[in-house]
Amino acid sequence: MKLTNEQFTEAAFIFEKANGNPHSVYEKKIIAASELTKFKPTELEQIIVDGLNSGIYKNEDERVSGYWTLSKIGNRNLISDFKEWLRTELENENGIAFFQLLIALDRLEEPAFNEKRTGQGADETELNIRDAKQYLNK
């Protein structure tokens, strides 16, 4: 099953809800209207992981949405997947994608960014490349 960008947003809200995070009225409406609520959060997570691993998301924007959505789960079991995707996106020079993966790892309290770094931005390409390489070489 291939999710659309809108479905990735729905899935992110579903994951946040499952983690007990409060939502706005708008976000609650999105969740209520979503067809994805027929899946348990763990099933939805697996659908996204399987889709990313199978290569059905050819467009970098789609993969970024998938990584962002998975970062909302807080599942440390995804660290190995995030690392593998980080390696691939870095090799392919997909700057936005590997930045999103650094963010996802950081949310899991992984030391993805250099500890002396004071900010994090997608436009800080050289620093993101440095940090990704350092993280992967640990």
Side-chain angles (χ1 to χ4, degrees):
M1 176 178 175
K2 184 177 180 179
L3 274 62
T4 65
N5 281 332
E6 292 80 22
Q7 288 174 318
F8 279 127
T9 301
E10 293 169 17
F13 293 162
I14 290 167
F15 293 148
E16 288 176 338
K17 180 181 177 188
N19 288 333
N21 295 332
H23 285 97
S24 68
V25 171
Y26 168 77
E27 292 167 336
K28 288 177 183 176
K29 284 182 183 178
I30 296 293
I31 293 169
S34 176
E35 294 179 14
L36 298 178
T37 56
K38 66 184 176 187
F39 298 105
K40 294 178 184 174
T42 54
E43 293 170 328
L44 195 50
E45 172 186 347
Q46 195 59 54
I47 289 168
I48 297 169
V49 169
D50 290 346
L52 288 165
N53 285 335
S54 72
I56 63 172
Y57 299 108
K58 305 288 184 204
N59 183 306
E60 182 181 8
D61 290 341
E62 293 174 322
R63 292 191 310 278
V64 167
S65 293
Y67 303 145
W68 171 77
T69 301
L70 290 173
S71 76
K72 300 295 185 174
I73 297 170
N75 182 355
R76 292 190 54 80
N77 292 325
L78 290 175
I79 291 172
S80 61
D81 290 303
F82 284 143
K83 283 182 179 179
E84 191 57 39
W85 297 326
L86 177 62
R87 184 174 275 95
T88 300
E89 298 291 2
L90 184 61
E91 288 170 0
N92 293 321
E93 299 179 2
N94 294 322
I96 301 299
F98 71 73
F99 173 72
Q100 183 58 56
L101 286 159
L102 289 170
I103 294 291
L105 288 160
D106 186 64
R107 286 183 177 160
L108 293 172
E109 299 181 5
E110 282 291 293
F113 291 101
N114 186 293
E115 63 186 30
K116 294 180 182 174
R117 194 162 166 185
T118 57
Q120 303 164 348
D123 61 340
E124 297 176 324
T125 306
E126 290 179 20
L127 292 174
N128 293 335
I129 290 170
R130 178 203 66 191
D131 291 352
K133 286 181 178 179
Q134 285 178 351
Y135 176 75
L136 291 170
N137 289 327
K138 287 182 186 177

